[in-house]
Amino acid sequence: MVALLLSFVMARTLDAVLHGISSSRAVLIITDRPNDVRESITRNLGRGLTMVPATGGYSGRKKMLLYVVVPRAEIQRLKLQVLERDPASFITELTPREAVGGFQLVHPQ
């Protein structure tokens, strides 16, 4: 039991040293269904995101790149939401050094 506890503590410590103690994760999503994925993220997770037009380097096809920053605890939920809307999407998770500022809901007048 002590060995399991020690292994857990060492794994968490190593993770913090290698990836930092940042509680946020930046996620890049490349998708053919940006509006479905955007709506799912904004509606179900309450997160804002940035959409950037992109072109596939190999295929030359037009794609959309979505950039979103979420708390570390929401990563799995985000991935499930994205893959539910677009199973063919490509998802990359990054660890930002710092995330400052935030999403502000803008109401049209």
Side-chain angles (χ1 to χ4, degrees):
M1 188 67 154
V2 174
L4 287 174
L5 181 61
L6 186 58
S7 292
F8 176 77
V9 170
M10 288 177 57
R12 296 300 250 174
T13 303
L14 183 59
D15 185 48
V17 169
L18 291 175
H19 301 290
I21 303 177
S22 173
S23 62
S24 297
R25 293 294 184 258
V27 180
L28 296 173
I29 304 158
I30 300 171
T31 180
D32 288 322
R33 302 177 62 191
N35 292 326
D36 291 341
V37 173
R38 176 190 51 80
E39 184 178 331
S40 180
I41 292 171
T42 57
R43 180 170 292 169
N44 298 327
L45 297 176
R47 299 287 166 192
L49 54 88
T50 300
M51 298 174 67
V52 181
T55 304
Y58 179 76
S59 68
R61 292 181 24 210
K62 299 292 181 197
K63 301 265 187 179
M64 190 63 74
L65 184 139
L66 282 57
Y67 178 78
V68 61
V69 177
V70 296
R72 188 178 191 170
E74 288 184 19
I75 282 294
Q76 208 49 35
R77 196 167 157 219
L78 172 73
K79 290 177 186 177
L80 290 173
Q81 291 289 321
V82 171
L83 293 172
E84 183 178 291
R85 298 292 190 253
D86 182 7
S89 62
F90 180 77
I91 303 169
T92 304
E93 180 183 335
L94 308 166
T95 304
R97 285 242 182 248
E98 184 175 15
V100 178
F103 168 67
Q104 295 180 350
L105 187 58
V106 178
H107 296 285
Q109 304 255 348

